[in-house]
Structures are given as structure tokens and as C-alpha cells.
Amino acid sequence: AAELLYNGLGGSAGLQYQHRVSDHTTVGLLFLHQDTTYKGGQAFGTRVRTQIESSYISVGSRLTPTVTLTVYGGPQYVQLIGAPSGQSALAGSFQGAGGGSITFQSHATAFDVSFQRSVSDSGGLYTSVINTNGRFGARRRLTGHWDVDLHGGLARADASLFLNANGVTDAVYAGVGFSRPIRDFSKLHISYDTTHQVSNGNPPIFSQFDLNQVTIGIDFRVKSISLGQ
């Protein structure tokens, strides 16, 4: 029964302010309210509601003509409502959240590295969890109008927002993709992605799997229509 997935339905609202303090640096504030109700699973009860209040401070700066850095962080207040007594939820708790990214451009190649930690949705395995992930990527222009994109990363979903739970799901993923325009308003893309995922702890979520996926597709962009000056 613990294998059943959760369906989530929710909404969010926020307020964001940004101020350019110099030609190369911007600071910002973000206040975000999220309210999500989960139904269907049994590991944390058949109906659980999560309310999250987040406040972030961000700083973004172009350090050099080829290097851009962004960092952000702040507190999250998390309240879980409706968990069964065997998996009682915290009445309310503060969690630290934050992250950052750095991008480096070198001729025809761009590199990026990012990291973030926050309480957010788990994609159905659990309800809301502490998500931590790191990602790297590289993109390069090849000959013949082809672009190649390499990416990979690590991710962890931690269910310890519940007092009697320590379930953790870890994933490693990587991929490569090729794309090129085939007409003015369309693009061909071919990609391969692989994911290895393992879960441990209590409650036991049986989600160990290896996924290998090849995708071939064509993206179309509808021609823009001017509505006036």
C-alpha cells in the first residue's frame, strides 16, 4: 500500500521586487505563499495538506564579461496538516532554503553549475519534502548549425518533515542532446537521458529503478502576429 503515489492540487501567490544597484549587479526580494493538498497515497495518510511561507533575498552579478553569478536564500515556514497519528507532522517548523548558479561563457561553449535546497513537491512519491539538488551543464555550437547539450546532476528528496519518518530518495541523472533548426520556425532535437534512483528509510517507498530514455522530436513555433504599435 505504501507504493501508491500521491496526486497534488494546489496554488501559489507571490510578490517580487528587484533593484539594479549597478550596471552589473541586481538585488531582489521574493515573498511566496504555497498551499497544496495531496490525495491518494497511504504512506503519510490519504489526505495531507502543506502550507509553505517563503522569503528570499537574491543577488545577481555579472562578475566578468563571461561569468555570471546568482545566489539566493532565506527562511521557509512549513505547516503540514492532516497526517495520521503514526506519522504525525510537525505543527510548524522553519527550514533554511537557498541556492545559486554560476555561468561561464567561452567562445562557442557555455558552462553552468547550480545548487538549490528548499521544501517543495516530491513528484508523487511523498507529499512535500526537503529537496536538494545540484546540476551541471555544458552547451556548445557544432558545425552544420547543430548544438550539443551535456548535463547531469544529483538530487535528494528527504521526508523528515514528518516526526516519525526518515525516508530518503536519491537520484543520479545525466543526458546528452543534439538540436538544429530545420526551417525558420521549427527545430529538430534528439536526446538520451539516464536516471538511477534509490529509496531508503521509513516509510519504505519502493521506487528503485533505472531509466534510459531516447527522445526524438520537432518543435514548431507559430509565426508571431502583431496586434498593433
Side-chain angles (χ1 to χ4, degrees):
E3 297 180 67
L4 296 179
L5 300 179
Y6 281 93
N7 294 314
L9 177 64
S12 63
L15 175 65
Q16 185 175 22
Y17 170 78
Q18 288 189 322
H19 175 66
R20 184 177 294 276
V21 297
S22 71
D23 291 341
H24 305 289
T25 302
T26 300
V27 298
L29 294 173
L30 172 64
F31 302 98
L32 181 64
H33 168 77
Q34 297 165 280
D35 193 323
T36 306
T37 298
Y38 299 93
K39 298 179 181 180
Q42 295 186 9
F44 299 96
T46 57
R47 182 184 178 94
V48 182
R49 183 181 178 187
T50 303
Q51 293 179 323
I52 305 173
E53 314 296 337
S54 307
S55 301
Y56 296 113
I57 299 175
S58 65
V59 178
S61 181
R62 182 176 291 276
L63 303 180
T64 71
T66 59
V67 178
T68 302
L69 175 68
T70 301
V71 294
Y72 67 91
Q76 289 184 298
Y77 182 75
V78 183
Q79 186 172 12
L80 303 177
I81 306 168
S85 58
Q87 295 289 347
S88 58
L90 301 175
S93 66
F94 282 97
Q95 299 287 332
S101 65
I102 185 168
T103 301
F104 171 69
Q105 180 79 38
S106 176
H107 302 294
T109 305
F111 303 92
D112 66 90
V113 178
S114 62
F115 170 84
Q116 77 171 35
R117 178 191 188 276
S118 66
V119 177
S120 56
D121 183 75
S122 67
L125 286 179
Y126 309 99
T127 56
S128 292
V129 295
I130 303 171
N131 273 317
T132 306
N133 64 75
R135 183 189 183 279
F136 73 89
R139 186 175 183 87
R140 182 175 177 82
R141 172 61 57 86
L142 304 177
T143 59
H145 303 290
W146 284 94
D147 289 335
V148 60
D149 172 61
L150 300 171
H151 57 270
L154 304 170
R156 164 167 286 193
D158 181 352
S160 61
L161 291 172
F162 290 82
L163 293 175
N164 298 323
N166 60 1
V168 171
T169 296
D170 293 309
V172 180
Y173 60 91
V176 58
F178 298 89
S179 63
R180 63 157 299 173
I182 54 178
R183 288 185 179 275
D184 292 340
F185 301 104
S186 61
K187 177 182 289 188
L188 170 69
H189 59 86
I190 305 170
S191 63
Y192 167 74
D193 293 278
T194 180
T195 301
H196 175 67
Q197 179 173 295
V198 177
S199 294
N200 296 289
N202 177 52
I205 304 296
F206 299 104
S207 58
Q208 284 72 240
F209 70 83
D210 291 286
L211 173 66
N212 295 280
Q213 179 174 291
V214 176
T215 304
I216 301 175
I218 298 177
D219 296 331
F220 292 93
R221 180 171 61 89
V222 178
K223 184 178 180 179
S224 60
I225 301 174
S226 176
L227 297 180
Q229 298 295 327

